[in-house]
Amino acid sequence: GDSVTQMEGPVTLSEEAFLTINCTYTATGYPSLFWYVQYPGEGLQLLLKATKADDKGSNKGFEATYRKETTSFHLEKGSVQVSDSAVYFCALKVAGSYQLTFGKGTKLSVIP
Amino acid sequence: NAGVTQTPKFQVLKTGQSMTLQCAQDMNHEYMSWYRQDPGMGLRLIHYSVGAGITDQGEVPNGYNVSRSTTEDFPLRLLSAAPSQTSVYFCASGELRVSVETQYFGPGTRLLVL
């Protein structure tokens, strides 16, 4: 079946540090890839997405590149802020399916 | 637009009780779904619907019923609650024409079953 593996948290960084959250996947078909973010007490919000190999998704300073050869979609940000503290979920959806398959989430805490 | 709304925000049930979690959206989305979120498990799909009168099972449907009588509403029913159903429940909606890749999530319902 489809699955998403992302790095275990929690991750604690100082403000302005570089962020990488690793995500790898296995898929039964051709997947679209997503990063969702969940701020404390809220539902999930789509952060960025990529629908084909070598596409780069970007939003709010976050980036992730769809790497088919390594089945990866790592999330990066060059300089994190305290307001980026949240739980980040990597997810995939296979073409023709309605179902999103999520990773377990990575909690990020950014300290001043 | 209110987006996706869920009620209640928090509920405590005793084992064997029944209840309905409400979900509504005002974006005229065809697709709606229910997920549960458990610590260390990410989100898992319970049921989904691609339009009024059409529902289907997701990854973890046992113990839950759904119906979709209108485009706006997609209630989730627990007929006989069990402690294993203690979780945070999220409703989401999306447009079918973009293949539901962009799903909008509600704020969640936290359920505790004693």
Side-chain angles (χ1 to χ4, degrees):
Chain A
D2 303 327
S3 67
V4 175
T5 302
Q6 57 182 107
M7 63 186 288
E8 297 284 332
V11 174
T12 302
L13 294 174
S14 298
E15 206 165 21
E16 300 184 1
F18 185 86
L19 169 70
T20 299
I21 301 178
N22 290 337
C23 172
T24 58
Y25 67 88
T26 59
T28 54
Y30 198 101
S32 295
L33 302 172
F34 310 87
W35 278 100
Y36 281 82
V37 58
Q38 183 180 30
Y39 297 104
E42 299 183 8
L44 278 71
Q45 304 173 24
L46 179 65
L47 181 59
L48 53 84
K49 68 178 183 181
T51 58
K52 60 182 187 295
D54 299 324
D55 269 1
K56 178 184 284 188
S58 61
N59 186 26
K60 299 181 180 180
F62 291 89
E63 293 183 340
T65 301
Y66 187 142
R67 301 285 189 201
K68 187 178 179 183
E69 63 277 12
T70 55
T71 62
S72 64
F73 192 55
H74 304 322
L75 182 68
E76 296 182 337
K77 187 175 185 183
S79 176
V80 294
Q81 305 300 312
V82 172
S83 58
D84 294 325
S85 298
V87 181
Y88 293 82
F89 292 91
C90 185
L92 69 82
K93 191 189 75 68
V94 174
S97 168
Y98 294 112
Q99 182 166 340
L100 280 169
T101 299
F102 287 88
K104 294 181 179 182
T106 302
K107 183 176 181 179
L108 170 67
S109 297
V110 180
I111 55 176
Chain B
N1 286 351
V4 180
T5 58
Q6 292 183 237
T7 55
K9 288 191 171 139
F10 180 70
Q11 183 72 46
V12 179
L13 289 179
K14 294 181 180 178
T15 297
Q17 287 185 316
S18 64
M19 80 160 294
T20 299
L21 281 63
Q22 301 291 344
C23 174
Q25 52 92 8
D26 61 359
M27 296 173 282
N28 203 32
H29 287 164
E30 304 94 337
Y31 180 86
M32 295 186 74
S33 58
W34 278 101
Y35 292 85
R36 60 178 288 171
Q37 182 181 27
D38 301 297
M41 298 288 290
L43 275 77
R44 293 180 291 169
L45 182 66
I46 304 171
H47 286 285
Y48 66 93
S49 168
V50 297
I54 305 169
T55 63
D56 206 346
Q57 297 180 351
E59 182 184 354
V60 289
N62 292 342
Y64 307 95
N65 283 346
V66 292
S67 60
R68 184 98 179 268
S69 57
T70 67
T71 299
E72 295 79 18
D73 301 300
F74 190 46
L76 178 72
R77 296 183 184 86
L78 285 70
L79 297 180
S80 180
S84 60
Q85 294 178 304
T86 293
S87 187
V88 181
Y89 293 85
F90 289 100
C91 179
S93 73
E95 292 182 83
L96 276 183
R97 67 178 179 86
V98 291
S99 193
V100 301
E101 291 177 350
T102 302
Q103 294 194 34
Y104 297 85
F105 284 78
T109 294
R110 188 174 296 272
L111 177 67
L112 175 62
V113 182
L114 302 175

